Amino acid sequence: MKTAHIEKIIEKYLKKEKTQSAILVNGVWGSGKTFYLKSQLKEIIEKNSLKIMYISLNGISSIENLEHKLFLHFIPKLGKNQNDLVKSITNISTNIANATTKLLFRTEATDLLKGSTVKSFNFKKYCICLDDLERCKIPIDELIGYLSEFTEHKHTKCIILADEEKIKKQKSNKQLAHKYDEIKEKVISRVLNYDPELLDIFPKLIEKYKSKRIFYKFLNKSQTFIVSIFKEQKSKNLRNIIFYLDILEAIYPSIKNADHKYIEEVLFSTAIFSLEFKNGNLTSKDSNDFKEFGNINKDWYSRIVSNFLNNKSDKPRKKSNPELFYDRYLTNRIDQYFFYPSIYKFVLSGYLDNKKLKKELECRVPEKVSEEITSFRKLLNYKFRELDDNEFENLSKYVLEKAEEGFYWMYDYKQIANFYYHFLEKGLISISKKDLEKTLLDGLKISAKRTEFHLATFETLKHFNTPDPDTKKILDKIFEFHYKIQSENNTKTSMKLSKLISNNDIVDLAVLFSEQKFNKEFLPLVNVTSFIKAVKSSKNKMIFTICEIFKDRYDYSNVIDFMAGDLEFLNNITKKIENYKSNLNPDERVRIFNLNEFIDALKEIIEKLSLEVK
């Protein structure tokens, strides 16, 4: 129901004399019913010369508790002429003066309630608004019976807010669930379904930022884009949107001068990770684990889909979490997606590194997409079926020519092979298998010379390593080139680390580990022999520093999520350091002491990773 219609019905109800019923505003949890009451309906109530008496029924377990709450709401309303009111609420007490004294000196309300009843109050000038009916622990028949004394006999205006679906599920109402509709009819004359349009509510949600004029103007300007994201996700929980707006308020100073395209990226990424967090798909423990979010781009999904082009199984395959994430948010918005680690961490943990966010934005360079890449993206994805015949023919020839020239990324040759062998099988291209294989292998060899190494993409290829026999030669060659490049990178990484340790360069070593703290590709690339050789030649101060650096690298909760790959390296260096220590001169006490501490720290780290792996 439109909010304007709800407001008209409620205004008509408030104007009517001697009503004998209540109105229930029904909406799902988080839809903003309370916000709507306090921002919109409150004005209508007060315009009709009534005072709002708001009470949350959350957790109230007895009529006595409810009466107590109602009574407490009247205490602040007492004015100078309290005598008549005190008389009206005191049934049994024979000492009116004593009751008045108690009231004037703010005695505990429970004392005043003895011998008193809320029903004695005059509710003529009030509209009782009861929120969270679904969380009330009073059985619904008792509550409705109690409220009828106000609505039916005292003609009290009463508005109830609830999620009706959950009322029947409340423990106290399980035996009454089948009678709920019959019970509610005794008091509730109308149920108004509150299902607001976010575009209508958004201006109200951002009113609290009015004092921050520039940010408020930014929100107004961005509201259509923001609303479209949440509407697309069918997210009607205002708490999620309020959480999102508070995140934006914090990051706005860092993004306000960025390019419009990158601001939209930030708005979108912040929204979807806020939803993932609030919906429970991500938790604060994930704040240091970027999973595969940083690898997702236009080509990533096509690369995965290409692995299943010739899947003959009728059984639907189980998609990975990153694929499900893509399906949820990015199918129609991949152009607006970019992963900003600082924003991801802020949404999940509450810690914002403004300097890092600014640096991430500064590093963004508008993507200059070449004709070769544009053609690749257009042809090698599941939408190739939408191409015209002439366009398909031209693209398939052009992309294959560029593949033969070695233009494309080494890892992309599996995707190229998957699609082209599929095209060949379906009779969409004219080339022999032998010529196609030679064309792709020649191009791959040229591409590999650029030594473009990317471990995460390689891991994805390994994960989906179920190719058709035709693509196996291509994949095996990619693996061969990858391992060769990895070996070369291994040597470079080992040399850099070993050099810093050998030279006792504590500051640069600390900087290196700080930069690589969450990089799971770092230590697995280090040569164990080179590392131990460097440790042997280093000073005691360096050994102490290495120990502290290693402790810091693994000092957080969900370390297993991206450091399990370090286990082999850690086990190997532990054994070799123990061996080195056992051969030292006993007089080298400080060195032995430092090595023992380092060994103990390594064993603790190994145990932690091993336990979590199990």
Side-chain angles (χ1 to χ4, degrees), residues 295-331:
N295 299 323
I296 297 174
N297 55 37
K298 285 182 180 179
D299 303 321
W300 175 87
Y301 194 72
S302 294
R303 198 178 296 126
I304 289 175
V305 169
S306 72
N307 292 291
F308 304 97
L309 285 171
N310 296 312
N311 185 8
K312 304 292 193 300
S313 174
D314 294 331
K315 187 179 179 181
R317 70 181 180 88
K318 185 179 179 181
K319 293 188 176 183
S320 65
N321 286 330
E323 286 179 87
L324 295 173
F325 175 83
Y326 187 98
D327 290 344
R328 273 197 297 275
Y329 302 109
L330 306 180
T331 303

Side-chain angles (χ1 to χ4, degrees), residues 299-310 372-382 384 392 395-425 428-429 431-433 435-448 450 452 457 461 467-468 470-475 478:
D299 303 321
W300 175 87
Y301 194 72
S302 294
R303 198 178 296 126
I304 289 175
V305 169
S306 72
N307 292 291
F308 304 97
L309 285 171
N310 296 312
E372 293 87 348
I373 298 299
T374 302
S375 300
F376 178 99
R377 290 174 177 173
K378 205 169 188 181
L379 177 70
L380 304 184
N381 72 75
Y382 60 95
F384 74 85
F392 177 85
L395 285 173
S396 60
K397 287 179 180 178
Y398 181 73
V399 171
L400 193 58
E401 285 174 9
K402 293 303 169 184
E404 186 177 20
E405 293 171 9
F407 178 86
Y408 297 111
W409 197 27
M410 176 177 74
Y411 303 103
D412 282 335
Y413 276 77
K414 184 188 176 188
Q415 181 181 347
I416 297 170
N418 284 334
F419 273 96
Y420 271 86
Y421 279 115
H422 181 67
F423 294 158
L424 187 60
E425 181 188 342
L428 297 173
I429 56 174
I431 187 174
S432 69
K433 279 189 179 182
D435 287 343
L436 178 57
E437 181 183 293
K438 184 179 184 305
T439 298
L440 295 178
L441 287 174
D442 287 347
L444 176 57
K445 188 176 180 180
I446 298 169
S447 174
R450 295 197 294 272
E452 296 167 327
T457 302
L461 290 183
D468 293 331
D470 294 327
T471 63
K472 192 173 188 324
K473 284 187 180 179
I474 306 300
L475 185 62
I478 293 172

Side-chain angles (χ1 to χ4, degrees), residues 255-312:
I255 69 169
K256 63 182 180 182
N257 296 320
D259 183 274
H260 176 70
K261 172 178 168 51
Y262 305 146
I263 289 176
E264 284 203 341
E265 286 177 353
V266 169
L267 291 175
F268 178 60
S269 293
T270 304
I272 61 179
F273 285 118
S274 293
L275 287 172
E276 285 290 279
F277 179 60
K278 299 300 281 185
N279 291 336
N281 296 323
L282 291 170
T283 69
S284 56
K285 289 181 180 179
D286 298 312
S287 62
N288 290 322
D289 180 5
F290 301 150
K291 304 184 186 294
E292 285 194 54
F293 295 127
N295 299 323
I296 297 174
N297 55 37
K298 285 182 180 179
D299 303 321
W300 175 87
Y301 194 72
S302 294
R303 198 178 296 126
I304 289 175
V305 169
S306 72
N307 292 291
F308 304 97
L309 285 171
N310 296 312
N311 185 8
K312 304 292 193 300

Side-chain angles (χ1 to χ4, degrees), residues 555-588:
D555 186 25
Y556 50 93
S557 56
N558 59 329
V559 63
I560 183 59
D561 289 338
F562 47 117
M563 289 303 167
D566 287 6
L567 265 173
E568 184 179 355
F569 173 80
L570 295 171
N571 277 310
N572 287 334
I573 66 168
T574 303
K575 291 174 185 175
K576 290 187 180 295
I577 290 171
E578 284 181 319
N579 184 55
Y580 164 59
K581 185 201 72 171
S582 66
N583 293 315
L584 287 175
N585 187 322
D587 291 337
E588 296 182 78

Side-chain angles (χ1 to χ4, degrees), residues 17-37:
E17 293 185 9
K18 293 190 176 183
T19 53
Q20 293 184 305
S21 62
I23 282 183
L24 188 145
V25 177
N26 174 50
V28 296
W29 186 84
S31 60
K33 299 184 296 294
T34 306
F35 178 82
Y36 179 57
L37 170 70

